[in-house]
Amino acid sequence: MWEDGLCALINQVPYQGETCIERALTMKGSSEHGETSKAAPLGRGGVSKGVSVLDLILRFIAIIGTLASAIAMGTTNETLPFFTQFIRFKAQYSDLPTLTFFVVANSIVCAYLILSLPLSIVHIIRSRAKYSRLLLIFLDAAMLALVTAGASAAAAIVYLAHKGNVRANWLAICQQFDSFCERISGSLIGSFGAMVMLILLILLSAIALARR
């Protein structure tokens, strides 16, 4: 009986027929539940911050890829002498509207990614931001569509430059303009790499929103 009276005295509640041991176990369970509830949001916040840091890193990689592709394609040209020094064959990216579109598309995407960096940094500080992440998902998807269109169209031209088309009587030019073809082929790598980075960025933003 003295244990039950002591239990009621310690907890400052009227005695309700519980033993001190039962009361202690109840209090322990409530305490553990409270600690678990506090730790859960803390863990989610840490994951969201890690996702935001990875988002920033991927944006830097995509910037490098699109910038390198635009510069490599935009500075591509090759001149071949033909019979005399007064008659020359010249190939440059601006001769083909598709390759010009490729340069413009990569430049636009690169500029967008640079402008999105401050918002990505804000997400590291405020990992629970919602509407700004939704905006980034929308804009990232639009830029993904643009860079995909530019890279796909340029890839088709590069294929024709290497292989030609017998039915259309389009001859392959890479046997003559080998340096030109190497440059335009290499410029596609950064653009397709940026496509992968943008897909990952969209997925990361979706994951961060899902964990709110």
Side-chain angles (χ1 to χ4, degrees), residues 126-189:
R126 300 179 57 188
S127 58
R128 295 181 65 82
K130 177 181 178 182
Y131 296 107
S132 56
R133 289 190 186 277
L134 288 173
L135 177 63
L136 276 185
I137 288 178
F138 175 77
L139 294 176
D140 287 346
M143 293 300 107
L144 174 61
L146 180 60
V147 74
T148 301
S152 301
I157 295 300
V158 171
Y159 176 82
L160 288 175
H162 281 280
K163 303 294 183 180
N165 191 312
V166 178
R167 294 182 179 179
N169 291 324
W170 291 342
L171 301 177
I173 65 170
C174 286
Q175 293 180 354
Q176 293 79 26
F177 297 95
D178 54 341
S179 177
F180 175 81
C181 289
E182 287 177 2
R183 288 288 296 274
I184 62 175
S185 299
S187 65
L188 297 177
I189 298 174

Short mmCIF file of all heavy atoms in Angstrom, two decimals, residues 126-189:
data_model
loop_
_atom_site.label_atom_id
_atom_site.label_comp_id
_atom_site.label_asym_id
_atom_site.label_seq_id
_atom_site.Cartn_x
_atom_site.Cartn_y
_atom_site.Cartn_z
N ARG A 126 16.48 27.32 -46.48
CA ARG A 126 15.08 27.03 -46.12
C ARG A 126 14.65 25.76 -46.85
O ARG A 126 14.06 25.80 -47.92
CB ARG A 126 14.18 28.20 -46.51
CG ARG A 126 14.54 29.51 -45.82
CD ARG A 126 13.62 30.62 -46.29
NE ARG A 126 12.21 30.29 -46.04
CZ ARG A 126 11.19 31.03 -46.50
NH1 ARG A 126 11.44 32.11 -47.23
NH2 ARG A 126 9.97 30.69 -46.25
N SER A 127 14.98 24.64 -46.26
CA SER A 127 14.77 23.36 -46.93
C SER A 127 13.30 22.98 -47.06
O SER A 127 12.96 22.07 -47.82
CB SER A 127 15.51 22.24 -46.19
OG SER A 127 15.08 22.16 -44.84
N ARG A 128 12.41 23.65 -46.33
CA ARG A 128 10.99 23.31 -46.38
C ARG A 128 10.20 24.22 -47.33
O ARG A 128 8.96 24.23 -47.29
CB ARG A 128 10.39 23.36 -44.98
CG ARG A 128 10.98 22.32 -44.03
CD ARG A 128 10.33 22.40 -42.66
NE ARG A 128 8.91 22.07 -42.70
CZ ARG A 128 8.43 20.83 -42.70
NH1 ARG A 128 9.27 19.80 -42.67
NH2 ARG A 128 7.14 20.61 -42.72
N ALA A 129 10.89 24.98 -48.17
CA ALA A 129 10.21 25.85 -49.14
C ALA A 129 9.41 25.00 -50.12
O ALA A 129 9.85 23.95 -50.56
CB ALA A 129 11.22 26.71 -49.88
N LYS A 130 8.23 25.46 -50.47
CA LYS A 130 7.34 24.67 -51.33
C LYS A 130 7.12 25.31 -52.70
O LYS A 130 7.40 24.69 -53.73
CB LYS A 130 5.99 24.49 -50.62
CG LYS A 130 4.95 23.74 -51.45
CD LYS A 130 3.64 23.61 -50.71
CE LYS A 130 2.59 22.90 -51.57
NZ LYS A 130 1.29 22.80 -50.89
N TYR A 131 6.62 26.56 -52.71
CA TYR A 131 6.22 27.16 -53.98
C TYR A 131 7.41 27.44 -54.89
O TYR A 131 7.30 27.34 -56.12
CB TYR A 131 5.43 28.45 -53.71
CG TYR A 131 4.14 28.20 -52.98
CD1 TYR A 131 3.99 28.54 -51.64
CD2 TYR A 131 3.07 27.58 -53.62
CE1 TYR A 131 2.80 28.29 -50.96
CE2 TYR A 131 1.88 27.33 -52.97
CZ TYR A 131 1.75 27.68 -51.63
OH TYR A 131 0.58 27.41 -50.98
N SER A 132 8.55 27.78 -54.32
CA SER A 132 9.73 28.01 -55.15
C SER A 132 10.21 26.71 -55.79
O SER A 132 10.72 26.71 -56.92
CB SER A 132 10.85 28.63 -54.31
OG SER A 132 11.14 27.81 -53.18
N ARG A 133 10.05 25.60 -55.09
CA ARG A 133 10.41 24.30 -55.68
C ARG A 133 9.47 23.94 -56.82
O ARG A 133 9.89 23.38 -57.84
CB ARG A 133 10.39 23.20 -54.62
CG ARG A 133 11.52 23.28 -53.62
CD ARG A 133 11.57 22.04 -52.75
NE ARG A 133 12.55 22.15 -51.68
CZ ARG A 133 13.84 21.90 -51.83
NH1 ARG A 133 14.30 21.54 -53.00
NH2 ARG A 133 14.66 22.01 -50.80
N LEU A 134 8.19 24.24 -56.65
CA LEU A 134 7.23 24.00 -57.74
C LEU A 134 7.59 24.83 -58.96
O LEU A 134 7.49 24.35 -60.10
CB LEU A 134 5.81 24.33 -57.27
CG LEU A 134 5.18 23.37 -56.26
CD1 LEU A 134 3.85 23.92 -55.77
CD2 LEU A 134 4.97 21.99 -56.90
N LEU A 135 8.01 26.08 -58.73
CA LEU A 135 8.42 26.93 -59.85
C LEU A 135 9.64 26.35 -60.55
O LEU A 135 9.70 26.34 -61.80
CB LEU A 135 8.73 28.34 -59.32
CG LEU A 135 9.24 29.35 -60.35
CD1 LEU A 135 8.19 29.59 -61.42
CD2 LEU A 135 9.64 30.66 -59.67
N LEU A 136 10.61 25.87 -59.78
CA LEU A 136 11.81 25.27 -60.38
C LEU A 136 11.47 24.02 -61.18
O LEU A 136 12.06 23.77 -62.23
CB LEU A 136 12.83 24.95 -59.29
CG LEU A 136 13.76 26.08 -58.85
CD1 LEU A 136 14.79 25.56 -57.87
CD2 LEU A 136 14.45 26.73 -60.04
N ILE A 137 10.55 23.20 -60.68
CA ILE A 137 10.17 22.00 -61.42
C ILE A 137 9.60 22.39 -62.78
O ILE A 137 9.94 21.79 -63.82
CB ILE A 137 9.14 21.18 -60.62
CG1 ILE A 137 9.82 20.50 -59.42
CG2 ILE A 137 8.50 20.10 -61.50
CD1 ILE A 137 8.87 19.72 -58.55
N PHE A 138 8.73 23.39 -62.80
CA PHE A 138 8.11 23.84 -64.05
C PHE A 138 9.17 24.37 -65.02
O PHE A 138 9.20 24.00 -66.21
CB PHE A 138 7.06 24.90 -63.76
CG PHE A 138 6.45 25.51 -64.99
CD1 PHE A 138 5.49 24.82 -65.72
CD2 PHE A 138 6.85 26.77 -65.43
CE1 PHE A 138 4.94 25.39 -66.86
CE2 PHE A 138 6.31 27.33 -66.57
CZ PHE A 138 5.35 26.63 -67.29
N LEU A 139 10.05 25.25 -64.52
CA LEU A 139 11.07 25.84 -65.39
C LEU A 139 12.12 24.81 -65.83
O LEU A 139 12.57 24.83 -66.98
CB LEU A 139 11.74 27.01 -64.67
CG LEU A 139 10.85 28.21 -64.38
CD1 LEU A 139 11.60 29.26 -63.58
CD2 LEU A 139 10.31 28.81 -65.67
N ASP A 140 12.50 23.91 -64.92
CA ASP A 140 13.45 22.85 -65.29
C ASP A 140 12.88 21.96 -66.40
O ASP A 140 13.60 21.55 -67.31
CB ASP A 140 13.79 21.99 -64.07
CG ASP A 140 14.70 22.72 -63.09
OD1 ASP A 140 15.28 23.76 -63.48
OD2 ASP A 140 14.84 22.25 -61.95
N ALA A 141 11.59 21.67 -66.31
CA ALA A 141 10.95 20.84 -67.34
C ALA A 141 10.94 21.56 -68.69
O ALA A 141 11.17 20.94 -69.74
CB ALA A 141 9.53 20.48 -66.91
N ALA A 142 10.68 22.87 -68.66
CA ALA A 142 10.70 23.65 -69.91
C ALA A 142 12.10 23.68 -70.52
O ALA A 142 12.27 23.50 -71.74
CB ALA A 142 10.21 25.07 -69.64
N MET A 143 13.12 23.87 -69.69
CA MET A 143 14.49 23.88 -70.19
C MET A 143 14.92 22.49 -70.66
O MET A 143 15.69 22.37 -71.63
CB MET A 143 15.45 24.36 -69.09
CG MET A 143 15.27 25.81 -68.70
SD MET A 143 15.51 26.98 -70.07
CE MET A 143 13.80 27.48 -70.38
N LEU A 144 14.42 21.46 -70.01
CA LEU A 144 14.71 20.09 -70.46
C LEU A 144 14.16 19.86 -71.87
O LEU A 144 14.83 19.27 -72.72
CB LEU A 144 14.11 19.08 -69.48
CG LEU A 144 14.22 17.60 -69.88
CD1 LEU A 144 15.67 17.16 -70.02
CD2 LEU A 144 13.49 16.72 -68.86
N ALA A 145 12.94 20.34 -72.10
CA ALA A 145 12.35 20.20 -73.43
C ALA A 145 13.16 20.95 -74.48
O ALA A 145 13.38 20.47 -75.60
CB ALA A 145 10.90 20.70 -73.41
N LEU A 146 13.64 22.15 -74.12
CA LEU A 146 14.40 22.97 -75.07
C LEU A 146 15.74 22.33 -75.42
O LEU A 146 16.10 22.21 -76.60
CB LEU A 146 14.61 24.36 -74.48
CG LEU A 146 15.40 25.35 -75.34
CD1 LEU A 146 14.69 25.59 -76.67
CD2 LEU A 146 15.59 26.67 -74.59
N VAL A 147 16.48 21.90 -74.40
CA VAL A 147 17.79 21.32 -74.67
C VAL A 147 17.66 19.97 -75.37
O VAL A 147 18.51 19.59 -76.18
CB VAL A 147 18.61 21.20 -73.37
CG1 VAL A 147 18.13 20.07 -72.49
CG2 VAL A 147 20.10 21.02 -73.67
N THR A 148 16.60 19.23 -75.09
CA THR A 148 16.36 17.96 -75.78
C THR A 148 16.09 18.18 -77.25
O THR A 148 16.60 17.45 -78.11
CB THR A 148 15.19 17.21 -75.13
OG1 THR A 148 15.47 16.97 -73.75
CG2 THR A 148 14.94 15.87 -75.82
N ALA A 149 15.28 19.20 -77.55
CA ALA A 149 14.99 19.51 -78.95
C ALA A 149 16.25 19.91 -79.71
O ALA A 149 16.50 19.44 -80.83
CB ALA A 149 13.95 20.63 -79.02
N GLY A 150 17.06 20.76 -79.09
CA GLY A 150 18.29 21.20 -79.75
C GLY A 150 19.28 20.07 -79.95
O GLY A 150 19.87 19.93 -81.04
N ALA A 151 19.48 19.25 -78.92
CA ALA A 151 20.44 18.16 -79.02
C ALA A 151 19.98 17.09 -80.01
O ALA A 151 20.79 16.55 -80.77
CB ALA A 151 20.67 17.54 -77.64
N SER A 152 18.70 16.79 -80.01
CA SER A 152 18.18 15.76 -80.92
C SER A 152 18.29 16.20 -82.38
O SER A 152 18.68 15.41 -83.25
CB SER A 152 16.72 15.44 -80.57
OG SER A 152 16.60 14.99 -79.24
N ALA A 153 17.94 17.46 -82.64
CA ALA A 153 18.04 17.97 -84.02
C ALA A 153 19.49 18.00 -84.48
O ALA A 153 19.80 17.61 -85.62
CB ALA A 153 17.43 19.37 -84.09
N ALA A 154 20.40 18.43 -83.62
CA ALA A 154 21.82 18.47 -83.98
C ALA A 154 22.37 17.07 -84.18
O ALA A 154 23.21 16.84 -85.07
CB ALA A 154 22.61 19.20 -82.90
N ALA A 155 21.91 16.12 -83.38
CA ALA A 155 22.38 14.73 -83.52
C ALA A 155 21.99 14.16 -84.89
O ALA A 155 22.76 13.40 -85.49
CB ALA A 155 21.81 13.87 -82.40
N ALA A 156 20.81 14.53 -85.38
CA ALA A 156 20.39 14.07 -86.70
C ALA A 156 21.30 14.63 -87.79
O ALA A 156 21.69 13.91 -88.74
CB ALA A 156 18.94 14.48 -86.96
N ILE A 157 21.67 15.89 -87.69
CA ILE A 157 22.57 16.50 -88.67
C ILE A 157 23.96 15.88 -88.60
O ILE A 157 24.61 15.62 -89.63
CB ILE A 157 22.66 18.03 -88.44
CG1 ILE A 157 21.30 18.68 -88.69
CG2 ILE A 157 23.71 18.65 -89.34
CD1 ILE A 157 20.77 18.51 -90.10
N VAL A 158 24.43 15.62 -87.39
CA VAL A 158 25.74 14.98 -87.23
C VAL A 158 25.74 13.59 -87.85
O VAL A 158 26.72 13.19 -88.50
CB VAL A 158 26.12 14.92 -85.73
CG1 VAL A 158 27.36 14.06 -85.53
CG2 VAL A 158 26.36 16.32 -85.19
N TYR A 159 24.65 12.88 -87.68
CA TYR A 159 24.56 11.55 -88.28
C TYR A 159 24.62 11.64 -89.80
O TYR A 159 25.33 10.85 -90.45
CB TYR A 159 23.25 10.87 -87.85
CG TYR A 159 23.03 9.52 -88.48
CD1 TYR A 159 23.63 8.37 -87.97
CD2 TYR A 159 22.24 9.39 -89.64
CE1 TYR A 159 23.44 7.14 -88.56
CE2 TYR A 159 22.05 8.16 -90.24
CZ TYR A 159 22.65 7.04 -89.70
OH TYR A 159 22.46 5.81 -90.29
N LEU A 160 23.90 12.59 -90.39
CA LEU A 160 23.94 12.76 -91.84
C LEU A 160 25.33 13.18 -92.32
O LEU A 160 25.77 12.77 -93.40
CB LEU A 160 22.91 13.80 -92.28
CG LEU A 160 21.44 13.37 -92.20
CD1 LEU A 160 20.53 14.54 -92.54
CD2 LEU A 160 21.17 12.20 -93.15
N ALA A 161 26.00 13.99 -91.53
CA ALA A 161 27.35 14.41 -91.91
C ALA A 161 28.31 13.22 -91.93
O ALA A 161 29.23 13.16 -92.76
CB ALA A 161 27.85 15.47 -90.93
N HIS A 162 28.10 12.27 -91.04
CA HIS A 162 28.97 11.09 -90.99
C HIS A 162 28.56 10.01 -92.00
O HIS A 162 29.43 9.41 -92.65
CB HIS A 162 28.95 10.48 -89.58
CG HIS A 162 29.80 11.21 -88.60
ND1 HIS A 162 31.17 11.03 -88.53
CD2 HIS A 162 29.49 12.13 -87.65
CE1 HIS A 162 31.66 11.80 -87.57
NE2 HIS A 162 30.66 12.48 -87.02
N LYS A 163 27.28 9.79 -92.15
CA LYS A 163 26.79 8.66 -92.95
C LYS A 163 26.19 9.06 -94.29
O LYS A 163 26.19 8.27 -95.24
CB LYS A 163 25.72 7.88 -92.15
CG LYS A 163 26.20 7.35 -90.80
CD LYS A 163 27.28 6.29 -90.96
CE LYS A 163 27.69 5.73 -89.61
NZ LYS A 163 28.75 4.69 -89.75
N GLY A 164 25.65 10.29 -94.36
CA GLY A 164 24.97 10.69 -95.58
C GLY A 164 23.64 9.98 -95.73
O GLY A 164 23.19 9.26 -94.83
N ASN A 165 23.01 10.18 -96.89
CA ASN A 165 21.74 9.51 -97.20
C ASN A 165 21.71 9.21 -98.70
O ASN A 165 21.58 10.12 -99.52
CB ASN A 165 20.55 10.39 -96.79
CG ASN A 165 19.23 9.64 -96.85
OD1 ASN A 165 18.92 8.98 -97.83
ND2 ASN A 165 18.45 9.77 -95.79
N VAL A 166 21.83 7.94 -99.02
CA VAL A 166 21.93 7.54 -100.42
C VAL A 166 20.65 7.85 -101.17
O VAL A 166 20.66 8.32 -102.32
CB VAL A 166 22.26 6.03 -100.52
CG1 VAL A 166 22.31 5.59 -101.98
CG2 VAL A 166 23.58 5.74 -99.83
N ARG A 167 19.49 7.59 -100.56
CA ARG A 167 18.22 7.82 -101.24
C ARG A 167 17.99 9.29 -101.56
O ARG A 167 17.40 9.62 -102.59
CB ARG A 167 17.08 7.30 -100.37
CG ARG A 167 17.09 5.79 -100.19
CD ARG A 167 15.91 5.33 -99.34
NE ARG A 167 15.91 3.88 -99.19
CZ ARG A 167 14.99 3.20 -98.48
NH1 ARG A 167 14.01 3.87 -97.88
NH2 ARG A 167 15.06 1.90 -98.39
N ALA A 168 18.42 10.17 -100.67
CA ALA A 168 18.25 11.60 -100.90
C ALA A 168 19.44 12.22 -101.62
O ALA A 168 19.45 13.43 -101.86
CB ALA A 168 18.03 12.32 -99.57
N ASN A 169 20.44 11.38 -101.97
CA ASN A 169 21.66 11.86 -102.62
C ASN A 169 22.41 12.89 -101.78
O ASN A 169 22.99 13.85 -102.31
CB ASN A 169 21.34 12.45 -104.01
CG ASN A 169 20.91 11.38 -104.98
OD1 ASN A 169 21.41 10.26 -104.97
ND2 ASN A 169 19.95 11.72 -105.84
N TRP A 170 22.36 12.69 -100.44
CA TRP A 170 23.14 13.54 -99.54
C TRP A 170 24.43 12.81 -99.22
O TRP A 170 24.44 11.74 -98.64
CB TRP A 170 22.37 13.82 -98.26
CG TRP A 170 21.17 14.70 -98.48
CD1 TRP A 170 20.92 15.49 -99.55
CD2 TRP A 170 20.06 14.87 -97.58
NE1 TRP A 170 19.74 16.15 -99.42
CE2 TRP A 170 19.18 15.80 -98.21
CE3 TRP A 170 19.74 14.36 -96.34
CZ2 TRP A 170 17.99 16.20 -97.61
CZ3 TRP A 170 18.55 14.76 -95.75
CH2 TRP A 170 17.70 15.67 -96.37
N LEU A 171 25.53 13.42 -99.60
CA LEU A 171 26.83 12.79 -99.40
C LEU A 171 27.38 13.09 -98.00
O LEU A 171 27.15 14.17 -97.46
CB LEU A 171 27.82 13.29 -100.46
CG LEU A 171 27.42 13.04 -101.92
CD1 LEU A 171 28.47 13.65 -102.85
CD2 LEU A 171 27.26 11.55 -102.20
N ALA A 172 28.09 12.13 -97.47
CA ALA A 172 28.77 12.34 -96.18
C ALA A 172 29.93 13.31 -96.39
O ALA A 172 30.69 13.17 -97.35
CB ALA A 172 29.26 11.02 -95.63
N ILE A 173 30.05 14.28 -95.52
CA ILE A 173 31.09 15.30 -95.69
C ILE A 173 32.25 15.11 -94.70
O ILE A 173 33.24 15.84 -94.77
CB ILE A 173 30.51 16.72 -95.51
CG1 ILE A 173 30.01 16.91 -94.06
CG2 ILE A 173 29.40 16.98 -96.51
CD1 ILE A 173 29.64 18.34 -93.73
N CYS A 174 32.12 14.15 -93.80
CA CYS A 174 33.13 14.02 -92.75
C CYS A 174 34.46 13.46 -93.27
O CYS A 174 35.48 13.58 -92.58
CB CYS A 174 32.61 13.12 -91.62
SG CYS A 174 31.37 13.96 -90.60
N GLN A 175 34.46 12.88 -94.46
CA GLN A 175 35.73 12.43 -95.02
C GLN A 175 36.59 13.62 -95.45
O GLN A 175 37.82 13.54 -95.44
CB GLN A 175 35.46 11.52 -96.22
CG GLN A 175 34.81 10.21 -95.84
CD GLN A 175 34.55 9.32 -97.04
OE1 GLN A 175 34.77 9.74 -98.19
NE2 GLN A 175 34.10 8.10 -96.80
N GLN A 176 35.91 14.71 -95.82
CA GLN A 176 36.65 15.92 -96.19
C GLN A 176 36.82 16.87 -94.99
O GLN A 176 37.91 17.34 -94.71
CB GLN A 176 35.92 16.66 -97.33
CG GLN A 176 35.90 15.94 -98.65
CD GLN A 176 34.86 14.84 -98.70
OE1 GLN A 176 33.86 14.90 -97.99
NE2 GLN A 176 35.10 13.84 -99.54
N PHE A 177 35.72 17.12 -94.30
CA PHE A 177 35.75 18.04 -93.16
C PHE A 177 35.81 17.24 -91.85
O PHE A 177 34.87 17.24 -91.06
CB PHE A 177 34.50 18.93 -93.18
CG PHE A 177 34.39 19.83 -94.38
CD1 PHE A 177 33.66 19.43 -95.50
CD2 PHE A 177 35.04 21.05 -94.42
CE1 PHE A 177 33.55 20.25 -96.60
CE2 PHE A 177 34.95 21.89 -95.53
CZ PHE A 177 34.21 21.48 -96.63
N ASP A 178 36.91 16.55 -91.65
CA ASP A 178 37.01 15.68 -90.47
C ASP A 178 37.08 16.48 -89.17
O ASP A 178 36.47 16.12 -88.16
CB ASP A 178 38.23 14.75 -90.59
CG ASP A 178 39.52 15.52 -90.86
OD1 ASP A 178 39.43 16.69 -91.29
OD2 ASP A 178 40.59 14.94 -90.65
N SER A 179 37.79 17.59 -89.16
CA SER A 179 37.89 18.41 -87.95
C SER A 179 36.55 19.02 -87.59
O SER A 179 36.16 19.07 -86.41
CB SER A 179 38.94 19.51 -88.16
OG SER A 179 39.00 20.35 -87.03
N PHE A 180 35.83 19.47 -88.60
CA PHE A 180 34.50 20.04 -88.39
C PHE A 180 33.56 19.01 -87.76
O PHE A 180 32.85 19.31 -86.80
CB PHE A 180 33.94 20.53 -89.73
CG PHE A 180 32.52 21.02 -89.68
CD1 PHE A 180 32.25 22.32 -89.23
CD2 PHE A 180 31.48 20.22 -90.08
CE1 PHE A 180 30.95 22.79 -89.18
CE2 PHE A 180 30.17 20.68 -90.05
CZ PHE A 180 29.91 21.97 -89.60
N CYS A 181 33.59 17.79 -88.28
CA CYS A 181 32.71 16.74 -87.77
C CYS A 181 33.08 16.32 -86.35
O CYS A 181 32.21 16.01 -85.54
CB CYS A 181 32.75 15.53 -88.70
SG CYS A 181 31.93 15.81 -90.29
N GLU A 182 34.37 16.31 -86.07
CA GLU A 182 34.79 15.96 -84.71
C GLU A 182 34.29 16.99 -83.70
O GLU A 182 33.84 16.64 -82.60
CB GLU A 182 36.31 15.86 -84.65
CG GLU A 182 36.87 14.62 -85.35
CD GLU A 182 38.38 14.60 -85.32
OE1 GLU A 182 38.99 15.54 -84.72
OE2 GLU A 182 38.98 13.68 -85.89
N ARG A 183 34.34 18.26 -84.06
CA ARG A 183 33.90 19.31 -83.14
C ARG A 183 32.39 19.25 -82.91
O ARG A 183 31.93 19.35 -81.75
CB ARG A 183 34.30 20.68 -83.69
CG ARG A 183 35.77 20.99 -83.63
CD ARG A 183 36.23 21.24 -82.20
NE ARG A 183 35.61 22.42 -81.61
CZ ARG A 183 36.08 23.66 -81.74
NH1 ARG A 183 37.20 23.88 -82.44
NH2 ARG A 183 35.48 24.68 -81.16
N ILE A 184 31.62 19.10 -83.97
CA ILE A 184 30.16 19.10 -83.79
C ILE A 184 29.70 17.82 -83.08
O ILE A 184 28.71 17.83 -82.34
CB ILE A 184 29.42 19.29 -85.13
CG1 ILE A 184 29.71 18.14 -86.09
CG2 ILE A 184 29.76 20.63 -85.75
CD1 ILE A 184 28.90 18.21 -87.39
N SER A 185 30.44 16.73 -83.29
CA SER A 185 30.09 15.49 -82.58
C SER A 185 30.40 15.62 -81.09
O SER A 185 29.61 15.22 -80.23
CB SER A 185 30.86 14.31 -83.17
OG SER A 185 30.54 14.12 -84.53
N GLY A 186 31.55 16.19 -80.78
CA GLY A 186 31.93 16.35 -79.37
C GLY A 186 31.04 17.33 -78.63
O GLY A 186 30.82 17.17 -77.42
N SER A 187 30.51 18.32 -79.33
CA SER A 187 29.65 19.31 -78.66
C SER A 187 28.34 18.70 -78.17
O SER A 187 27.69 19.26 -77.28
CB SER A 187 29.36 20.47 -79.62
OG SER A 187 28.59 20.02 -80.72
N LEU A 188 27.94 17.57 -78.73
CA LEU A 188 26.70 16.93 -78.30
C LEU A 188 26.83 16.31 -76.91
O LEU A 188 25.82 16.16 -76.21
CB LEU A 188 26.29 15.83 -79.30
CG LEU A 188 25.96 16.28 -80.72
CD1 LEU A 188 25.65 15.06 -81.58
CD2 LEU A 188 24.76 17.22 -80.70
N ILE A 189 28.04 15.98 -76.49
CA ILE A 189 28.23 15.28 -75.22
C ILE A 189 27.74 16.12 -74.04
O ILE A 189 26.98 15.66 -73.19
CB ILE A 189 29.71 14.89 -75.03
CG1 ILE A 189 30.15 13.94 -76.14
CG2 ILE A 189 29.93 14.27 -73.66
CD1 ILE A 189 31.63 13.62 -76.12
#
